[in-house]
């Protein structure tokens, strides 16, 4: 079974952000998400966003287009990274620029399924097919809405498998972060003890904690 993407979306349409042009609209009040904030691992880096003014963000008509909600899928639609995407993981005030499209699903529970499909070769082939331009590529929201999405009978089981993989990945990330922390501690061990930044007793306590992890 196949469906077009727009049939899965709120109001059956893909929304595109709007980039403020006037300096008064660029006050550092509300995070403003650009393509560079969409990470390859499917997350959004809010630590390096641009900003827009609260007034610009809260304009009634504009807000319907630029505001994000938890569960939205954000997609880069210009440049060399067309098709890069992320799922909004938390509720917060933030806006999207004109180079970012927003998918707001009728059923938010299907978000990971849709994002996973768009990240797969079946989705990426469609990004490649529909993009326009020779040097500065761009993708129309109407074309994204026409993407063909596989809608299998066992979708619920696939969503569960995707979620279980996410849990496993998060667990492995915790281990990776701990390994990096231990390596950093090891590298700085002698200077930190000599300079009084730590004590051997404290280090031994840390080692015991890590061994029990």
């Amino acid at each position: 079974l196949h469906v077009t993407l727009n049939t899965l979306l709120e109001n059956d349409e893909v929304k595109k952000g709007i980039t403020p042009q006037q300096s008064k609209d660029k006050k550092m009040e509300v995070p403003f998400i650009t393509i560079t904030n969409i990470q390859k691992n499917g997350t959004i880096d809010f630590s390096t966003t641009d900003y827009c003014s609260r007034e610009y963000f809260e304009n009634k008509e504009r807000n319907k287009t630029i505001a994000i909600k938890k569960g939205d899928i954000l997609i880069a639609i210009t440049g060399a990274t067309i098709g890069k995407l992320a799922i909004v993981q938390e509720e917060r005030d933030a806006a999207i620029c004109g180079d970012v499209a927003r998918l707001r699903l009728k059923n938010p529970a299907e978000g990971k399924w849709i994002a996973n499909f768009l990240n797969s070769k079946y989705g990426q082939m469609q990004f490649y097919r529909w993009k326009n331009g020779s040097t500065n590529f761009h993708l129309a929201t109407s074309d994204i809405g026409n993407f063909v999405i596989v809608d299998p009978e066992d979708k619920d089981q696939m969503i569960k498998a995707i979620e279980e993989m996410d849990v496993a990945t998060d667990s492995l990330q915790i281990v990776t972060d701990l390994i990096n922390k231990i390596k950093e501690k090891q590298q700085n061990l002698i200077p930190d003890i000599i300079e009084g930044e730590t004590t051997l007793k404290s280090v031994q306590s840390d080692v015991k904690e890590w061994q029990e992890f």
Side-chain angles (χ1 to χ4, degrees):
L1 180 64
H2 299 78
V3 297
T4 54
L5 180 56
N6 56 9
T7 64
L8 304 176
L9 304 178
E10 186 178 276
N11 299 320
D12 297 333
E13 63 178 340
V14 180
K15 290 290 188 179
K16 175 185 174 182
I18 305 171
T19 301
Q21 302 298 321
Q22 300 182 44
S23 57
K24 70 180 180 67
D25 294 328
K26 298 179 182 180
K27 295 179 182 178
M28 294 186 65
E29 294 175 343
V30 180
F32 194 75
I33 300 167
T34 64
I35 288 176
T36 57
N37 303 122
I38 300 176
Q39 305 299 293
K40 290 182 179 180
N41 63 0
T43 62
I44 301 168
D45 181 7
F46 285 97
S47 68
T48 59
T49 63
D50 291 335
Y51 288 86
C52 65
S53 69
R54 174 67 59 180
E55 182 180 3
Y56 181 88
F57 176 73
E58 292 183 348
N59 175 277
K60 187 175 181 180
E61 288 305 312
R62 188 185 297 121
N63 186 268
K64 294 177 183 178
T65 298
I66 67 174
I68 64 171
K69 287 176 60 176
K70 182 179 179 180
D72 286 349
I73 300 173
L74 308 184
I75 305 174
I77 56 172
T78 64
T81 59
I82 282 180
K84 183 174 63 169
L85 58 89
I87 299 179
V88 178
Q89 302 290 347
E90 58 184 306
E91 293 289 0
R92 64 183 298 168
D93 284 349
I96 55 173
C97 76
D99 296 324
V100 175
R102 187 194 74 199
L103 310 183
R104 182 163 294 167
L105 299 173
K106 293 174 181 175
N107 180 6
E110 296 184 346
K112 288 188 176 181
W113 161 257
I114 299 300
N116 190 272
F117 180 87
L118 293 175
N119 263 328
S120 74
K121 65 179 182 180
Y122 301 118
Q124 292 299 310
M125 283 191 297
Q126 295 184 76
F127 282 114
Y128 182 80
R129 173 192 174 191
W130 288 103
K131 68 181 180 181
N132 297 298
S134 55
T135 54
N136 186 24
F137 297 112
H138 59 276
L139 184 64
T141 55
S142 57
D143 290 335
I144 299 174
N146 287 327
F147 278 23
V148 177
I149 306 296
V150 176
D151 192 31
E153 293 181 358
D154 56 354
K155 179 171 59 181
D156 289 343
Q157 287 75 20
M158 290 188 181
I159 292 174
K160 182 178 179 181
I162 292 169
E163 291 173 343
E164 289 172 346
M165 289 179 186
D166 283 341
V167 171
T169 300
D170 290 344
S171 298
L172 290 172
Q173 186 61 53
I174 292 172
V175 174
T176 300
D177 291 344
L178 179 58
I179 290 172
N180 291 334
K181 180 180 178 181
I182 294 172
K183 286 182 177 179
E184 183 180 358
K185 287 262 190 180
Q186 185 182 41
Q187 182 179 3
N188 298 320
L189 176 62
I190 294 175
D192 284 351
I193 291 178
I194 291 175
E195 296 170 11
E197 296 293 330
T198 189
T199 64
L200 187 57
K201 185 176 180 179
S202 175
V203 172
Q204 290 169 334
S205 176
D206 286 341
V207 171
K208 184 177 179 181
E209 181 182 335
W210 296 333
Q211 289 173 334
E212 292 173 352
F213 180 78

